Amino acid sequence: MTGKICGTGSYVPPHVMDNDDMAKLVDTNDEWIRERTGIARRHVAEQETTSFMAGQAALRAVEQSGIAPEEIDMIIVATSSSETIYPCAACEVQKTIGAVNAAGYDLNAACTGFVLGFNAAQAYISAGMCRTVLVVGAESMSHMIDWTDRSTCILFGDGAGAVLLRAQEGAPVWTAAHSDGKKGPALTGLSRHRKDWEKEGEEKESYIHMDGQAVFKFAVRKVPEIIEEILEKSGVSADEIDYFILHQANRRIIEAVAKRLKIDISRFPMDLEEYANTSAATVPILLDEMNRQGMFRKGHKLILAGFGAGLTWAGCLFEW
Ligand code: ACO
């Protein structure tokens, strides 16, 4: 048994900030941001919390699937920006959608979180532990960034995406995942509770700090590697993959990955122009957009790949 996607959903806050709005806050401009990142706008939460957005995306995925919420066995919410540590966002989602029989927990692996959650769901299903699993990626990155730091604040947005997986006989799912804790300092969001870091004189704000070029180089090297690893494991060739759905951090990263793999960029869909980097939410938001535009057909082969803080990176290959 593997988990087949039987519903997708997403939610982004209605409040939009374009690059000109960012230029009113920091010394930047539309041309620089578009050229270096491909981002034109981002949706920014005003009243909406991470678990609210997760719940809305989940409601839409469940509604599309036609599956009763009571049938959901497990809810995994990938997030690093929930408004509460507990109750976890997954329990809030359970309450919102009425999944009274589901267990749930949050998973934090930054931008890689959704793909790791998707892989965990596949493992639960193939082990026979669960039949129906909801996987959500939801983030309020606007609470994590220093709005006076032009090198990071222009990159991120808020939103949530969800997929509902149901056990079915079908093609196998191939997965891979890696971490490199030694490279953790390249991308950090510190907890306010780490008094020891204050004593060491390090940054004490919880804002995201990033060595942009180090993260860029890591992504451009490791994402092609993990895609090749999955292709090799599965015996599927790159030509057979219909879409490579990558974490939407930066258009230049995605273009560089496509170039390294010698695959036409048209098979790497992107929506970061509209939403920017919503961390764990980018992959499920893009999946939902493509699904609702009717871009997937039964039997289509998809590769998902996420990468981010940790450093972490993960991928999977499955059939629609
Ligand atoms: N507007 C205008 N100028 C800027 C801005 C800005 N918003 N930000 C930086 N600059 C300036 C810099 O100060 C620098 O000026 P200097 O040459 O006078 O010192 C110049 O632009 C070039 O800066 P670089 O950092 O070298 O620019 P680069 O081409 O590397 O682009 C970027 C920076 C966009 C951050 C890039 O490195 C990147 O995208 N890295 C990956 C980041 C990423 O995707 N992170 C998320 C990973 S996923 C997760 O888990 C959160």
Side-chain angles (χ1 to χ4, degrees):
M1 288 284 185
T2 55
K4 278 272 177 199
I5 295 180
C6 47
T8 63
S10 60
Y11 176 90
V12 291
H15 179 58
V16 173
M17 290 180 74
D18 65 18
N19 291 342
D20 291 334
D21 293 323
M22 302 305 291
K24 291 175 196 148
L25 301 177
V26 290
D27 181 13
T28 190
N29 58 72
D30 180 55
E31 190 189 351
W32 192 97
I33 300 173
R34 279 180 193 264
E35 197 178 288
R36 302 287 178 121
T37 70
I39 294 164
R41 287 170 294 282
R42 70 281 296 140
H43 291 241
V44 178
E46 292 184 300
Q47 307 302 325
E48 304 90 342
T49 61
T50 299
S51 52
F52 170 80
M53 295 189 289
Q56 296 305 302
L59 278 173
R60 291 170 189 184
V62 173
E63 185 189 19
Q64 190 187 62
S65 74
I67 290 172
E70 297 80 13
E71 293 180 42
I72 298 171
D73 302 310
M74 178 70 77
I75 300 170
I76 302 172
V77 177
T79 184
S80 53
S81 56
S82 187
E83 70 280 7
T84 54
I85 293 172
Y86 43 76
C88 64
C91 287
E92 293 293 312
V93 169
Q94 180 201 29
K95 184 173 67 184
T96 302
I97 65 173
V100 290
N101 296 311
Y105 63 90
D106 292 0
L107 181 163
N108 171 7
C111 304
T112 314
F114 176 81
V115 180
L116 284 170
F118 187 93
N119 290 356
Q122 293 292 350
Y124 285 129
I125 289 170
S126 64
M129 290 168 68
C130 297
R131 182 161 178 255
T132 309
V133 183
L134 178 69
V135 189
V136 185
E139 302 280 12
S140 302
M141 300 307 287
S142 57
H143 296 300
M144 306 270 293
I145 50 178
D146 177 353
W147 286 87
T148 66
D149 175 8
R150 68 176 182 173
S151 67
T152 51
C153 73
I154 53 119
L155 298 173
F156 296 100
D158 300 335
V163 301
L164 190 62
L165 294 164
R166 165 65 59 101
Q168 276 180 30
E169 294 290 356
V173 174
W174 303 94
T175 66
H178 301 282
S179 305
D180 183 357
K182 288 204 287 291
K183 300 220 171 68
L187 180 48
T188 57
L190 304 186
S191 162
R192 289 180 204 277
H193 308 291
R194 285 295 300 264
K195 295 289 179 202
D196 51 333
W197 280 341
E198 280 182 44
K199 275 186 219 137
E200 286 162 17
E202 293 187 22
E203 288 289 349
K204 62 184 174 198
E205 304 100 334
S206 57
Y207 300 133
I208 290 174
H209 290 269
M210 182 175 64
D211 178 343
Q213 290 185 9
V215 174
F216 194 98
K217 281 183 200 149
F218 144 75
V220 166
R221 200 172 62 248
K222 291 300 180 187
V223 176
E225 273 179 27
I226 204 164
I227 289 174
E228 280 170 344
E229 180 185 341
I230 294 167
L231 290 172
E232 197 178 316
K233 268 188 193 175
S234 64
V236 175
S237 76
D239 290 342
E240 295 174 74
I241 304 298
D242 293 285
Y243 294 112
F244 297 83
I245 298 173
L246 269 46
H247 169 47
Q248 305 283 297
N250 184 316
R251 191 191 61 222
R252 288 189 303 146
I253 291 177
I254 297 174
E255 286 170 350
V257 170
K259 196 170 166 196
R260 280 203 181 198
L261 291 168
K262 299 188 176 61
I263 297 167
D264 193 84
I265 192 69
S266 63
R267 285 194 281 152
F268 290 75
M270 288 184 238
D271 63 2
L272 53 81
E273 183 180 10
E274 178 65 30
Y275 305 117
N277 179 350
T278 56
S279 191
T282 65
V283 169
I285 290 175
L286 182 53
L287 270 173
D288 183 48
E289 285 204 321
M290 294 176 71
N291 186 24
R292 286 175 194 266
Q293 286 166 21
M295 290 174 71
F296 299 130
R297 286 199 308 275
K298 189 169 162 40
H300 263 170
K301 290 185 172 57
L302 310 183
I303 282 188
L304 309 183
F307 55 91
L311 297 174
T312 52
W313 59 110
C316 62
L317 189 172
F318 64 98
E319 276 190 22
W320 188 260

